[in-house]
Amino acid sequence: MSFLQFQGIGKTFPGVRALSDVSFAVRAGGVHGLLGENGAGKSTMMKILGGEYIPNEGQLVIDGQPRAFRSAADAIDAGVAIIHQELQYVPELTVMENLLLGRLPTRFGLVDRGRALAWTREKLDALGVDLDPRTRLKQLSIGQRQMVEICKAVLRDAKILALDEPTSSLSHRETDVLFRLVRDLKAQGKAMIYISHRLDEIFELCDAATIFRDGRKVADFDTLEGVTRDMLVQRMVGREISDIFGYRERAQGDVRLAVRNLTGHAVKEPVSFDVRAGEIVGFFGLVGAGRSEAMRLVYGADRRESGTVAIDGTTLRPSDIRSSIRSGLMFCPEDRKEDGIIGVRSVAENINISARRNHLRAGLFVNDANEARTADSFIQRLRIRTPHRRQEIRLLSGGNQQKAVLSRWLAEKDLRVLIVDEPTRGIDVGAKNEIYNVLYELAERGVAIVMVSSELPEVLGVSDRVIVMCGGRITGQFARHEANEEAVLGRALPEGAAQPSMHSTRTA
Amino acid sequence: MTDRNTATALDPAAGSQPARRNAALWQFVDDYSLILIFVALFAVLSCTVEYFFSWDNVVGLALSVSQIGMVACTMMFCLASRDFDLSVGSTVAFAGVLCAIVSNATGSVTLGIAAALVAGAVIGFVNGTVIAKLKINALITTLATMEIVRGLAFISSQGQAVGVSNEAFFSIGSAILFGLPAPVWVTLACFVLFGVLLNKTIYGRNTLAIGGNPDAARLAGVSVDRTRIMIFLIQGAVAALAGIILASRMTSGQPNAGEGFELNVISACVLGGVSLMGGRASISGVLVGVLIMGTVQNAMSLMNIDAFYQYLVRGTILLIAVLVDQLKNRRQSR
């Protein structure tokens, strides 16, 4: 018997249909996967479940009762908890205070800390979550904060839990803890919805799945027995992608990027490596391994303590982004929203912000006509989905934003080395494939590419060479033919760590 | 202007013909709402308020907002880069006093003006450097310099208005060129200059980028610190220019001049659609913002409304403008 039913849900925003006639059902004691590319309608669906959006058509039925949520509070009252990608907590407060927010036990009008603490300990133990109730949330890792968020939902006695991309910023070990908790909650009879781009996780956790495309339901699986990865991908994208990496062999030239003895924040031991023209080097490591920090040092975004970076034999000025760019070294940062895009500015502005200095009229005035041409040509070439170049970039999907940030550097006439940090995080399968193709094209033109990624299949599938980091130093290097999951992962784990489960490391 | 319709972001093919025409109409109203409001306001006041619609009154109106107008141009940059400057009112006073003192001491108005402009630029440079390099909140920094510079104005003038003996000085504020007073021409020149700077130069585009996302701007190769310092430096110099003109119009440098000036300037900018969150600004918006403020003030004076009530009305207008902006934003993001 289904505990939660979506019946003919439709949602229209001014001028666009976000969802049409979507029906599916979620069992109590089950984990239901929601799949689809970005913009397919999963998030809209979750916002309807969470009471943030009111559907134009259809209804929710919970435990046999038709429900019409008018607000988020209605949904919470009905036992619905949504764990969003962006967590909602108070960083300055402790675990206990966050869990008891708004209902701390009091005595004579004052907070009864003793009772609160005992209660929190008991509940955390019951859930098997190992956290000190007195720690402030800001001192916890992202994974631990998420745990607190889930505990909060469970303690509110939520019957329906929806997790939206919960593992996107978790380490392997945190992911394992999360999965254990999800299975426990399932055993307790909660109805769970699980949204993820990582198909391995869907296979590992979910009993059933629904696939969305363009605001419609395109497939329903009551069981995932006998369902293959390809079947899911094909329905998600509506076409067949046999190998999403599509690796292409290519020639390599001389050393373009030479990094020597680089140290700085979170990079304790000197880091040295080379990248050749036309080569794609993948940097793999667990969260906190120091890859992103090392790349920011190379680019000059953070102050380095020692070491040199040279492009084609010319040493760059230390900690000077502009000198890096002028020498042909460019960087697409990990956190697209915080460090990559300028959200309120247009797609065209985001593309032209750096290269425009080379096209000024009278050495002073921005050449609008030229910039429009540049923007339009990249929008076409990289298939950036936007109504026009003047659209504010924050309104685009993650994949399209990433393509625009890439275009920013492609527009530079002298791109020699490109560092991309987590280029496909939170991006759907189709767009991933397109981004890989951009990287291959650049490499074929002789650009040296460094790709930092936490996705092992991606690192193995795209790189000519793999460099592994752990604890702020380089711990291994593999040529493409020597690199395999076990060997790479072995170097990525801290000494003495247990072998993690292989759920997110299965290859396509 | 950007298309604010979220719908089209999801699906470019969405929307039937009439729906699209409807959206375009809304877009037009969105983009030009402020100008439409001003035109309507002006028309209504012209019909209802005696003496309002006359050349003399309109020129007087323009003159009365000329100081606010020129500083609003630079405040627009400041707000667009997600910063804030409370020190401009004090700079106006100090520049006026300094100009008067130096003019009297040297007998040269040119030297007086130069000294005041340099002082303004230095104040701005200090503001910018403290904010950009020492990473101190702009509100706090300029609150401090606001007090300090006001103090300097009182100290240097010993608390008294400093009269200027040189007749040439008065012509700055009162000269008429081609039918308009010189300060109005200066303000118009500021609008043209800063309009071009904002829209057509790297400096202006980078200002908006910094306001939109300072971290991303830096990683994209924008020299964030240098641009921010430049914004404050120019703002200081322009505030000093406004102070000189004001002193000339009042025939003396007054240490208590320009009190509350900074808030009027910021109000005009916000009224003109400049986002306090940074990244959004237009010169036409600021111009209209300044004009609406001036027009309302002017009409109230003509109607003999007590000055005390004018505060009330100005605050209410600002609040409504911010609310309307908020509602517009909310509609975009839902």
Side-chain angles (χ1 to χ4, degrees):
Chain A
M1 178 60 212
S2 323
F3 185 73
L4 165 66
Q5 284 170 287
F6 295 87
Q7 296 182 341
I9 301 280
K11 175 71 186 168
T12 309
F13 295 104
V16 72
R17 229 169 141 57
L19 285 173
S20 8
D21 192 27
V22 177
S23 303
F24 68 96
V26 182
R27 287 189 293 267
V31 181
H32 194 103
L34 285 197
L35 293 120
E37 301 199 331
N38 289 341
K42 296 166 300 182
S43 300
T44 309
M45 203 71 192
M46 285 308 96
K47 286 188 171 151
I48 287 172
L49 177 61
E52 283 174 66
Y53 289 161
I54 298 163
N56 303 96
E57 297 127 39
Q59 62 175 355
L60 293 177
V61 177
I62 296 176
D63 204 9
Q65 301 277 336
R67 300 281 191 152
F69 298 149
R70 296 274 126 193
S71 68
D74 286 353
I76 291 172
D77 286 344
V80 175
I82 315 260
I83 313 294
H84 287 288
Q85 271 170 287
E86 278 100 26
L87 302 173
Q88 285 139 15
Y89 52 82
V90 190
E92 293 296 333
L93 294 184
T94 62
V95 172
M96 176 186 90
E97 288 160 334
N98 269 283
L99 288 178
L100 284 166
L101 208 59
R103 47 182 196 143
L104 278 164
T106 56
R107 203 168 49 166
F108 313 125
L110 299 174
V111 173
D112 186 348
R113 287 190 67 84
R115 198 144 61 90
L117 206 57
W119 182 89
T120 311
R121 283 226 171 86
E122 183 195 316
K123 296 295 179 189
L124 287 178
D125 281 350
L127 288 167
V129 175
D130 181 25
L131 281 177
D132 183 346
R134 289 166 301 186
T135 327
R136 287 182 200 286
L137 265 269
K138 62 174 183 184
Q139 294 166 321
L140 298 178
S141 72
I142 300 286
Q144 289 171 315
R145 291 178 206 186
Q146 198 174 53
M147 238 22 103
V148 172
E149 199 83 346
I150 296 172
C151 291
K152 196 158 85 185
V154 175
L155 295 181
R156 254 184 348 223
D157 203 26
K159 306 257 186 328
I160 297 165
L161 251 112
L163 298 149
D164 192 355
E165 292 276 352
T167 58
S168 57
S169 43
L170 297 194
S171 67
H172 279 283
R173 215 163 326 152
E174 289 173 330
T175 304
D176 283 346
V177 176
L178 174 74
F179 281 15
R180 211 187 59 225
L181 187 59
V182 169
R183 290 201 186 90
D184 282 354
L185 293 172
K186 177 170 126 179
Q188 288 172 25
K190 311 276 187 207
M192 316 247 281
I193 293 176
Y194 191 90
I195 299 180
S196 180
H197 282 304
R198 299 183 181 173
L199 296 182
D200 309 298
E201 296 181 355
I202 300 288
F203 280 114
E204 173 147 347
L205 274 184
C206 300
D207 321 296
T210 298
I211 298 180
F212 285 72
R213 191 170 71 227
D214 300 330
R216 291 169 193 282
K217 183 178 82 173
V218 290
D220 238 345
F221 297 92
D222 280 338
T223 169
L224 293 179
E225 296 286 324
V227 175
T228 65
R229 201 188 156 90
D230 286 345
M231 285 163 70
L232 296 182
V233 172
Q234 199 182 324
R235 291 204 167 76
M236 276 164 66
V237 298
R239 63 194 136 98
E240 245 175 290
I241 295 183
S242 51
D243 171 11
I244 69 160
F245 302 117
Y247 177 79
R248 303 206 286 258
E249 203 73 51
R250 79 195 84 78
Q252 289 175 13
D254 295 334
V255 170
R256 289 219 100 151
L257 171 69
V259 175
R260 291 290 172 271
N261 302 318
L262 202 60
T263 60
H265 169 70
V267 182
K268 288 158 246 150
E269 285 185 45
V271 163
S272 302
F273 64 92
D274 289 334
V275 184
R276 293 176 172 279
E279 188 182 28
I280 300 178
V281 173
F283 265 75
F284 180 76
L286 305 179
V287 172
R291 299 158 302 164
S292 298
E293 289 81 356
M295 291 313 142
R296 288 178 65 94
L297 290 176
V298 171
Y299 184 52
D302 295 331
R303 191 159 296 280
R304 80 173 71 136
E305 281 156 19
S306 66
T308 59
V309 175
I311 307 281
D312 293 331
T314 314
T315 306
L316 302 186
R317 284 181 50 183
S319 313
D320 181 352
I321 291 173
R322 288 158 65 77
S323 144
S324 300
I325 294 172
R326 276 194 301 270
S327 309
L329 169 63
M330 313 193 191
F331 177 63
C332 293
E334 174 183 17
D335 191 331
R336 204 159 35 235
K337 211 167 120 200
E338 292 295 319
D339 296 330
I341 60 163
I342 294 154
V344 296
R345 304 294 287 156
S346 69
V347 176
E349 273 293 308
N350 273 278
I351 291 175
N352 285 299
I353 183 167
S354 177
R356 70 160 49 112
R357 68 179 189 286
N358 299 317
H359 307 285
L360 295 178
R361 281 182 300 161
L364 191 62
F365 299 110
V366 170
N367 189 338
D368 283 317
N370 177 69
E371 294 195 355
R373 270 198 308 278
T374 308
D376 284 341
S377 84
F378 282 112
I379 287 169
Q380 206 175 24
R381 244 178 73 195
L382 302 195
R383 287 194 278 153
I384 300 174
R385 267 188 74 187
T386 174
H388 45 69
R389 61 174 184 272
R390 292 178 306 279
Q391 181 82 353
E392 286 184 18
I393 197 169
R394 68 193 170 92
L395 300 172
L396 269 55
S397 74
N400 290 309
Q401 290 177 353
Q402 184 69 301
K403 288 185 207 165
V405 174
L406 277 171
S407 305
R408 177 185 298 165
W409 302 130
L410 301 187
E412 287 278 352
K413 59 181 189 292
D414 194 27
L415 173 60
R416 297 176 189 210
V417 180
L418 182 65
I419 303 174
V420 287
D421 196 351
E422 303 286 0
T424 65
R425 172 173 289 174
I427 288 177
D428 54 62
V429 182
K432 273 186 185 181
N433 180 249
E434 291 173 355
I435 286 171
Y436 300 142
N437 281 327
V438 172
L439 297 183
Y440 298 143
E441 273 170 40
L442 287 175
E444 275 156 21
R445 268 170 39 194
V447 176
I449 293 174
V450 175
M451 183 187 74
V452 174
S453 174
S454 303
E455 306 239 352
L456 192 43
E458 175 175 280
V459 171
L460 297 175
V462 173
S463 317
D464 299 308
R465 185 151 56 93
V466 178
I467 295 180
V468 186
M469 284 188 75
C470 177
R473 62 197 185 91
I474 290 178
T475 52
Q477 254 198 75
F478 303 89
R480 183 177 177 85
H481 64 270
E482 318 167 327
N484 61 55
E485 286 179 23
E486 235 168 297
V488 170
L489 205 53
R491 295 301 175 92
L493 290 168
E495 293 284 319
Q499 190 74 5
S501 88
M502 301 295 281
H503 57 81
S504 59
T505 58
R506 226 181 292 158
T507 31
Chain B
M1 282 283 105
T2 45
D3 183 343
R4 268 94 175 242
N5 201 346
T6 336
T8 39
L10 297 174
D11 187 355
S16 56
Q17 203 58 34
R20 215 175 297 167
R21 206 176 307 142
N22 214 341
L25 183 70
W26 269 113
Q27 188 61 46
F28 180 81
V29 172
D30 259 14
D31 287 350
Y32 298 100
S33 56
L34 211 59
I35 295 173
L36 295 176
I37 289 172
F38 174 67
V39 169
L41 181 73
F42 196 86
V44 168
L45 291 176
S46 298
C47 299
T48 55
V49 178
E50 215 178 338
Y51 309 121
F52 179 82
F53 192 67
S54 68
W55 177 248
D56 282 348
N57 185 55
V58 171
V59 169
L61 191 163
L63 188 61
S64 74
V65 293
S66 59
Q67 275 82 255
I68 289 183
M70 61 182 82
V71 180
C73 291
T74 52
M75 188 63 84
M76 170 185 74
F77 277 77
C78 199
L79 298 176
S81 68
R82 223 188 263 187
D83 275 325
F84 216 79
D85 191 351
L86 292 176
S87 69
V88 288
S90 300
T91 307
V92 163
F94 180 58
V97 168
L98 190 70
C99 182
I101 291 174
V102 174
S103 298
N104 289 342
T106 61
S108 158
V109 173
T110 316
L111 271 181
I113 292 172
L117 288 178
V118 169
V122 168
I123 294 165
F125 178 76
V126 170
N127 277 334
T129 310
V130 171
I131 292 163
K133 293 286 185 192
L134 304 181
K135 315 272 178 231
I136 296 183
N137 180 291
L139 199 73
I140 304 300
T141 306
T142 59
L143 187 62
T145 48
M146 171 176 115
E147 301 283 10
I148 292 168
V149 174
R150 179 70 67 184
L152 289 178
F154 277 114
I155 292 166
S156 54
S157 65
Q158 290 162 334
Q160 305 289 318
V162 183
V164 180
S165 41
N166 195 331
E167 289 283 328
F169 183 64
F170 307 139
S171 65
I172 303 169
S174 56
I176 306 279
L177 300 166
F178 307 108
L180 284 176
V184 176
W185 284 115
V186 174
T187 307
L188 285 175
C190 281
F191 273 103
V192 172
L193 173 67
F194 288 103
V196 171
L197 278 178
L198 182 72
N199 296 313
K200 290 285 166 193
T201 65
I202 288 192
Y203 169 67
R205 301 286 181 97
N206 282 357
T207 298
L208 291 165
I210 291 169
N213 186 342
D215 296 326
R218 192 172 80 91
L219 289 177
V222 173
S223 42
V224 175
D225 292 355
R226 209 194 307 164
T227 307
R228 291 173 84 191
I229 292 172
M230 189 56 92
I231 289 168
F232 278 98
L233 190 149
I234 294 174
Q235 165 120 307
V238 171
L241 181 64
I244 294 163
I245 292 173
L246 189 66
S248 161
R249 285 177 59 201
M250 299 191 302
T251 69
S252 64
Q254 300 187 1
N256 55 359
E259 274 182 347
F261 181 78
E262 58 283 336
L263 298 182
N264 286 337
V265 170
I266 293 170
S267 300
C269 286
V270 172
L271 197 56
V274 178
S275 166
L276 289 178
M277 307 296 286
R280 287 200 179 113
S282 76
I283 193 79
S284 61
V286 171
L287 178 61
V288 175
V290 169
L291 287 176
I292 289 179
M293 297 274 290
T295 305
V296 170
Q297 188 110 353
N298 177 273
M300 284 192 295
S301 301
L302 287 177
M303 289 189 285
N304 282 322
I305 295 177
D306 198 321
F308 299 158
Y309 288 94
Q310 299 189 6
Y311 285 98
L312 217 70
V313 174
R314 279 210 308 255
T316 311
I317 291 175
L318 184 61
L319 209 53
I320 292 171
V322 177
L323 280 174
V324 167
D325 195 51
Q326 186 71 25
L327 289 176
K328 259 190 341 196
N329 278 332
R330 216 172 289 166
R331 208 186 63 220
Q332 287 159 33
S333 56
R334 254 236 135 147

